[in-house]
């Protein structure tokens, strides 16, 4: 990584941590550090599953437990096991917790105003736009990819969401029974794989890769949740699947798509895929693509 870039990132981190006050034990002038304040905000009005809260913030269970104990001691939250599964705990704000959260929200607004107030109108617009771009890029870097079994509940969730979107977008609707869907075995090693994308513990996308013996690798069922589009996840899926196909000795990667998916078609072109004649009988396909890739050397 470029040393100048590393230095700039570290300088940015120092500036932000100093300006927003995270170095103080009394964050926003309250009797609690930033970790507890952030936890109060994330719990929200409806409460939160402790495991999901931990995943959302990327914190280890021990640290979250210590924060929750402190908030419980102060009478700001309650933590109770769910009746159907006592291993699952739910944390909720008390009335005092909601009042504290309201105070923190107000002081957060004041802090944001103090960052903008010294700047002129043009500078404020530049700062807010830059913050939005930094937020988008940092969020993109938080997404993780994981290979799972195609029968995993998260895979099922993604595919159901994907099919529901195709039903809305295709002129003729979408019936999975008519499509050339790969069966689960075609997306399990060694015949293939299935990737899941997660952001803060939430499933936000999927992509499958078929590796049929003696045939080109083929990308199937790539989908990105609407709320995470624009983070470059589609491009990241393609790069990861290309690398996986190359690692399995394949030098040709194929996919097909429907004319209604214009953004996807543009992505395939920009990633080096060339449109070719139909290579399957997929009834919902209008365009077929392939890309020559550098297969990894064997042995």
């Amino acid at each position: 990584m470029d040393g100048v870039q590393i230095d700039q990132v570290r300088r940015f981190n120092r500036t932000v941590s100093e300006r927003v006050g995270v170095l103080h034990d009394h964050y926003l002038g309250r009797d609690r550090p930033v970790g507890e304040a952030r936890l109060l905000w994330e719990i929200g009005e409806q409460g939160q599953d402790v495991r999901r809260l931990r995943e959302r913030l990327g914190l280890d269970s021990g640290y979250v437990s210590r924060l929750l104990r402190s908030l419980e001691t102060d009478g700001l939250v309650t933590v109770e096991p769910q009746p159907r599964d006592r291993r699952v705990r739910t944390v909720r704000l008390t009335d005092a917790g909601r009042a504290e959260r309201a105070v923190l929200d107000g002081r957060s607004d004041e802090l944001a105003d103090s960052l903008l107030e010294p700047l002129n109108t043009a500078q404020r617009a530049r700062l807010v736009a830059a913050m939005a771009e930094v937020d988008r890029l940092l969020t993109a870097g938080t997404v993780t990819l994981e290979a799972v079994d195609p029968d995993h509940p998260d895979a099922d969730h993604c595919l159901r969401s994907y099919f529901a979107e195709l039903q809305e977008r295709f002129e003729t609707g979408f019936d999975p029974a008519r499509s050339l869907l790969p069966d689960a075995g075609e997306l399990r090693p060694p015949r293939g794989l299935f990737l899941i994308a997660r952001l803060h513990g939430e499933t936000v996308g999927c992509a499958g890769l078929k590796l049929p013996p003696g045939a080109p690798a083929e990308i199937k069922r790539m989908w990105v949740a609407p709320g995470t589009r624009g983070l470059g996840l589609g491009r990241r899926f393609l790069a990861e699947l290309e690398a996986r196909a190359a690692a399995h000795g394949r030098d040709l990667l194929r996919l097909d798509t429907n004319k209604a998916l214009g953004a996807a078609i543009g992505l395939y072109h920009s990633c080096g895929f060339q449109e070719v004649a139909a290579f399957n009988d997929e009834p919902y396909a209008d365009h077929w693509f392939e890309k020559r890739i550098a297969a990894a050397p064997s042995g």
Side-chain angles (χ1 to χ4, degrees), residues 69 209 270 273:
R69 280 198 299 271
L209 181 69
S270 70
F273 284 83

Short mmCIF file of all heavy atoms in Angstrom, two decimals, residues 69 209 270 273:
data_model
loop_
_atom_site.label_atom_id
_atom_site.label_comp_id
_atom_site.label_asym_id
_atom_site.label_seq_id
_atom_site.Cartn_x
_atom_site.Cartn_y
_atom_site.Cartn_z
N ARG A 69 -23.69 -4.09 30.80
CA ARG A 69 -23.77 -4.14 32.27
C ARG A 69 -23.72 -2.73 32.85
O ARG A 69 -24.44 -2.41 33.81
CB ARG A 69 -22.63 -4.99 32.83
CG ARG A 69 -22.89 -6.49 32.75
CD ARG A 69 -21.97 -7.25 33.69
NE ARG A 69 -20.57 -7.05 33.35
CZ ARG A 69 -19.89 -7.81 32.50
NH1 ARG A 69 -20.51 -8.82 31.89
NH2 ARG A 69 -18.61 -7.58 32.26
N LEU A 209 -21.15 -19.65 -8.71
CA LEU A 209 -20.21 -20.00 -9.77
C LEU A 209 -20.32 -21.48 -10.04
O LEU A 209 -20.13 -22.31 -9.14
CB LEU A 209 -18.78 -19.64 -9.35
CG LEU A 209 -17.68 -19.94 -10.40
CD1 LEU A 209 -17.83 -18.99 -11.59
CD2 LEU A 209 -16.30 -19.80 -9.77
N SER A 270 -18.17 -3.10 -18.74
CA SER A 270 -17.06 -2.36 -18.14
C SER A 270 -16.03 -3.27 -17.50
O SER A 270 -14.88 -2.87 -17.31
CB SER A 270 -17.60 -1.36 -17.11
OG SER A 270 -18.11 -2.03 -15.96
N PHE A 273 -16.31 -8.16 -20.20
CA PHE A 273 -17.09 -9.23 -20.82
C PHE A 273 -17.53 -8.81 -22.23
O PHE A 273 -17.88 -7.65 -22.45
CB PHE A 273 -18.32 -9.56 -19.98
CG PHE A 273 -18.02 -10.37 -18.75
CD1 PHE A 273 -17.58 -9.75 -17.58
CD2 PHE A 273 -18.17 -11.75 -18.75
CE1 PHE A 273 -17.29 -10.49 -16.45
CE2 PHE A 273 -17.88 -12.50 -17.63
CZ PHE A 273 -17.44 -11.87 -16.48
#
